[in-house]
Amino acid sequence: MSANTHENDHVAAAPLGVPQIDAFWSDFSDQLASLETLEGAEFVEQANALLQPYAPELSIELEGRLKEPGGKLVITAHGNIEQFENVQALVRHAPQGLPYGVQAFRSRTLNPEFSMGMQGFELSCTDVLVAHYDAGGILGLQLSFGKDIPVDMQEHARHMAFILLDHVLGEWDFSVRVGPIEFAEPGEHVDGRQPLSLFPPIFDAFQRDTLGRSYDYPQQEHDRWISLEVRARGADEDEVPDLLTFHDSANALATRADLPHFITWRLPFSSQETLDSARDAHDALDAELRRLQRGIQAFARMEGMQSRTVAFYVDDPDYAMQLANQLGAEHAPGLKAELQVAYDPSWREYLGLYGAIHRHEREWTEDAA
C-alpha cells in the first residue's frame, strides 16, 4: 500500500484577538443592509472582502437564501485544522441579533451522490471506495477507486478524493475525526469497502458503536476511572512513580466540537494538608464544569510527591482559567498554580493515553485467553 496520511498533528495559527473579531463583526453589521441587496454569490463575495483584512485564511459561505428563514452564515477554514480555533472564536463572538445563524464549519452535503470535475478529469462519490478501521481510538480509512484511473492522474484523483470526503463527511468530521488515510494500490483487494456515497451512516455508527462516542456527558454513577503507576523511561525501579488517574468514560465526549481546548492545572504540595487543598480545588473545577456541561476532566496525575496536575477539555479557555483561579484562591490559597492551554480538537492528548491503555488491556486479555 502507498500511504497518504490525513494529518491531525498541527501547529495552531496565530489566534484572532477579540478586538479583531469585534471589528469585523462591526463592519459586517454596518454593511449588512446593503449586502442584502445583492444576489447570493455577490453577497458572499463582498462578505469575504470584509473578512479578509482580519482573517485571510477564513471564508464566509451562505447556507440557505438571503432574507429567508433558516439562512446561515458558515465560517470555514476549508479543512485547514490549523485555523479551526479562529473559526470557532469568530463564531463564539458573533453579535446577538443577526438575522442569520452563524455556524462553524461546512455541513455535510445533502446529496452524497455527486461528482466533480477538475482539470478535465471527473470523479464521483460512487467512484471512491472506502473501508474503515479502528486506528487506536480514532477512525482510519483505506481508500481505493471503483474505476480505472490513468497512471498520470493517480495523484490528482487522490487529491479529488480528499475534497469529496470533506464534502460528504463535513468539515469537522473529516478534519478532526478521521485519522490515517491510506490508498490501496490499483487492483489490490480491500475488505469491507463501500462507495463513499453510502459512507456517512457507516461513519456515524462506527463512531457511536465501536469507538463509544455518544457525545453525551457520562452519568456519574456509571463513570469509569483507571488508576495506573507511571514511570519515565529509564527511571530506577525504586523511584517513586507518578500516579495517573484516567477518566475512561470521558471517551464518550472525545472530539466533541464544543470541547476543543485542553487545559492543564498544576498545583504543588508539600504535605498531606496542601495535597488535600489541591485536590479540593481540582474537584471543585471538575464539578462546576460538569454541572454547566462546559468541560470534563480527562485525567489527573500525581507527580511524585511534589505536585498534582489535572487536565480538562473545555469550551472556553478564558472562562475555565478564570474559574480555576477563583476556585484555587478559595480552596488552595497560597499554592502557586500553573495553568496551560492548548487547542486540541482531535483530543490527541487524551486519545494517545486511551489508545495505549486499551492496547495493553487487549494484550492482557489475549494473553489470558
Side-chain angles (χ1 to χ4, degrees):
M1 273 191 185
S2 61
N4 282 351
T5 301
H6 179 52
E7 194 62 71
N8 277 327
D9 290 335
H10 65 281
V11 177
L16 285 175
V18 174
Q20 290 172 277
I21 294 171
D22 288 345
F24 161 70
W25 282 120
S26 177
D27 287 351
F28 181 84
S29 298
D30 289 346
Q31 298 194 39
L32 181 57
S34 62
L35 289 173
E36 287 185 319
T37 65
L38 304 172
E39 296 296 326
E42 291 179 289
F43 172 92
V44 170
E45 182 179 343
Q46 292 304 311
N48 279 297
L50 293 175
L51 178 61
Q52 294 314 296
Y54 302 101
E57 301 297 321
L58 307 184
S59 297
I60 294 178
E61 297 179 352
L62 177 65
E63 188 174 295
R65 300 178 67 85
L66 287 171
K67 297 188 288 187
E68 290 188 5
K72 291 181 183 177
L73 303 175
V74 177
I75 312 298
T76 175
H78 308 286
N80 179 6
I81 199 169
E82 295 178 7
Q83 290 285 341
F84 275 22
E85 184 174 12
N86 287 333
V87 171
Q88 292 187 299
L90 199 64
V91 172
R92 188 164 61 245
H93 293 285
Q96 300 294 317
L98 284 176
Y100 303 96
V102 182
Q103 172 183 305
F105 312 114
R106 290 173 178 150
S107 304
R108 292 177 178 180
T109 182
L110 295 177
N111 176 21
E113 296 189 3
F114 68 95
S115 60
M116 64 179 296
M118 288 179 63
Q119 300 177 18
F121 182 77
E122 185 168 300
L123 193 69
S124 74
C125 293
T126 55
D127 295 328
V128 179
L129 305 178
V130 185
H132 63 285
Y133 62 96
D134 184 347
I138 193 167
L139 178 139
L141 297 180
Q142 293 176 307
L143 302 183
S144 54
F145 296 106
K147 71 175 186 178
D148 291 334
I149 308 293
V151 173
D152 62 342
M153 297 300 290
Q154 288 285 330
E155 287 302 317
H156 184 59
R158 292 176 178 184
H159 173 67
M160 291 175 67
F162 273 70
I163 296 173
L164 294 176
L165 273 163
D166 179 74
H167 282 81
V168 169
L169 292 180
E171 190 172 3
W172 182 268
D173 277 345
F174 178 55
S175 298
V176 170
R177 293 176 175 154
V178 173
I181 298 178
E182 296 177 326
F183 283 89
E185 297 292 348
E188 181 180 348
H189 176 74
V190 178
D191 291 330
R193 62 185 188 177
Q194 296 284 342
L196 177 57
S197 56
L198 302 179
F199 189 60
I202 297 171
F203 175 92
D204 293 340
F206 186 84
Q207 295 287 326
R208 181 185 63 247
D209 300 332
T210 301
L211 299 183
R213 309 277 152 72
S214 67
Y215 303 114
D216 294 327
Y217 275 76
Q219 298 298 311
Q220 288 187 310
E221 60 269 25
H222 301 303
D223 251 0
R224 182 175 186 239
W225 296 78
I226 299 172
S227 293
L228 299 166
E229 290 186 351
V230 181
R231 286 185 173 85
R233 291 182 185 275
D236 294 335
E237 289 189 8
D238 58 353
E239 188 174 319
V240 176
D242 291 353
L243 179 63
L244 177 71
T245 307
F246 183 76
H247 192 185
D248 199 52
S249 297
N251 175 63
L253 296 178
T255 70
R256 198 166 118 160
D258 62 346
L259 297 174
H261 298 279
F262 178 73
I263 285 182
T264 56
W265 184 16
R266 180 181 180 273
L267 288 169
F269 63 87
S270 56
S271 64
Q272 185 62 49
E273 182 181 1
T274 52
L275 171 58
D276 290 342
S277 297
R279 186 178 286 112
D280 288 344
H282 288 151
D283 289 348
L285 179 59
D286 182 36
E288 187 66 5
L289 290 173
R290 286 189 64 145
R291 183 182 72 83
L292 299 172
Q293 295 202 351
R294 299 195 63 176
I296 193 164
Q297 186 179 148
F299 56 83
R301 184 163 179 155
M302 191 86 73
E303 295 156 334
M305 294 301 292
Q306 299 177 334
S307 63
R308 187 173 192 264
T309 298
V310 177
F312 298 88
Y313 282 90
V314 303
D315 63 346
D316 184 337
D318 294 333
Y319 166 79
M321 289 193 291
Q322 181 181 8
L323 183 59
N325 285 324
Q326 173 190 326
L327 294 172
E330 179 180 340
H331 294 279
L335 298 186
K336 187 177 180 181
E338 293 181 17
L339 279 164
Q340 294 184 330
V341 61
Y343 186 69
D344 183 17
S346 303
W347 282 47
R348 290 172 297 164
E349 295 289 343
Y350 178 87
L351 291 177
L353 289 170
Y354 183 89
I357 289 168
H358 288 278
R359 181 172 65 251
H360 288 309
E361 282 187 348
R362 287 193 297 271
E363 290 171 356
W364 295 334
T365 301
E366 290 168 1
D367 289 345

